[in-house]
Amino acid sequence: MTGEREKARPRFDGRVGDKAEALTVQRGQRGGLGAGPQLRAVRKDGWTPAKRKAFFETLAATCNVSEAARTAGKNLASAYNQRRRDPGFAREWSRALNVGYAELEALLLRQSLFGVEQEEVTLDGEGEVKSRKMKRGHPYVVAVRLLLAHRGAVEKIRAEEVQGSPEGEDAVAKMRALLDDVRRRREAAGE
């Protein structure tokens, strides 16, 4: 019976063919020699580079994980599992979410300053235009829900980005301490 199975489905020998993009690095079990990540073939229904790209572009545009997964042709659970398993995927997820959140903030600011215009057309019984009216409104409900849903995650991402940058609070504190040290040395030297 074992021989029949091997004939029906050949074992994977590590070669996928000419397409290098069909391979992905995945964390494997640590062997006795401490072997690390392995190159494995992407499943036909797996997260191919094209699906990943579609997912992250949609996530950056909408801040909506469900919509991004649907656009990529994957289910929501698969997206969250991939984020949990693949650190590179998780990093890209954070970047896309940060971009989408910034766009959403800018959109809300623009709408709060200028509002939204919507044309209302009234037709008569024969389908002819009877009147046109411009309505000005502020549709914030969905945007505010998205902002609230992702606020904590984006604040954490931004804090990590600022921490290592020259504008971070720790950098300012270090610079002030350095300037105080220089000032004390000058006073001690009599300058």
Side-chain angles (χ1 to χ4, degrees), residues 30-105:
R30 294 244 175 227
L33 300 175
Q38 301 176 13
L39 276 179
R40 293 188 180 170
V42 176
R43 292 173 30 167
K44 290 179 183 177
D45 62 342
W47 283 91
T48 63
K51 288 182 180 182
R52 289 171 77 117
K53 182 180 179 192
F55 177 82
F56 293 129
E57 285 176 352
T58 307
L59 184 60
T62 64
C63 264
N64 188 332
V65 180
S66 299
E67 180 64 21
R70 189 193 61 74
T71 302
K74 305 296 287 178
N75 65 28
L76 190 58
S78 172
Y80 280 105
N81 286 337
Q82 186 68 14
R83 182 180 74 167
R84 190 184 75 247
R85 285 192 315 259
D86 185 356
F89 192 86
R91 264 190 312 277
E92 287 298 315
W93 182 307
S94 294
R95 286 186 195 133
L97 190 59
N98 194 13
V99 168
Y101 197 84
E103 288 289 325
L104 192 55
E105 284 178 327

Side-chain angles (χ1 to χ4, degrees), residues 109-180:
L109 181 60
R110 209 170 21 253
Q111 287 181 350
S112 66
L113 292 173
F114 306 112
V116 176
E117 289 185 352
Q118 186 177 10
E119 185 178 19
E120 186 177 284
V121 178
T122 306
L123 304 175
D124 62 6
E126 297 171 2
E128 298 291 323
V129 176
K130 186 176 177 181
S131 68
R132 290 176 185 253
K133 210 186 318 184
M134 290 302 285
K135 288 179 116 181
R136 191 172 204 98
H138 300 277
Y140 299 125
V141 177
V142 174
V144 169
R145 286 187 67 200
L146 286 171
L147 280 174
L148 292 175
H150 297 298
R151 183 190 325 179
V154 171
E155 285 176 355
K156 183 179 175 186
I157 293 165
R158 289 179 178 171
E160 290 171 358
E161 288 177 354
V162 169
Q163 215 169 29
S165 73
E167 296 90 23
E169 289 181 25
D170 59 335
V172 173
K174 287 178 185 177
M175 185 57 76
R176 284 189 178 145
L178 185 62
L179 289 173
D180 289 341

Side-chain angles (χ1 to χ4, degrees), residues 14-32:
R15 288 181 247 137
V16 175
D18 296 334
K19 295 185 178 182
E21 65 187 20
L23 294 176
T24 185
V25 175
Q26 297 195 353
R27 285 187 279 161
Q29 294 179 342
R30 294 244 175 227

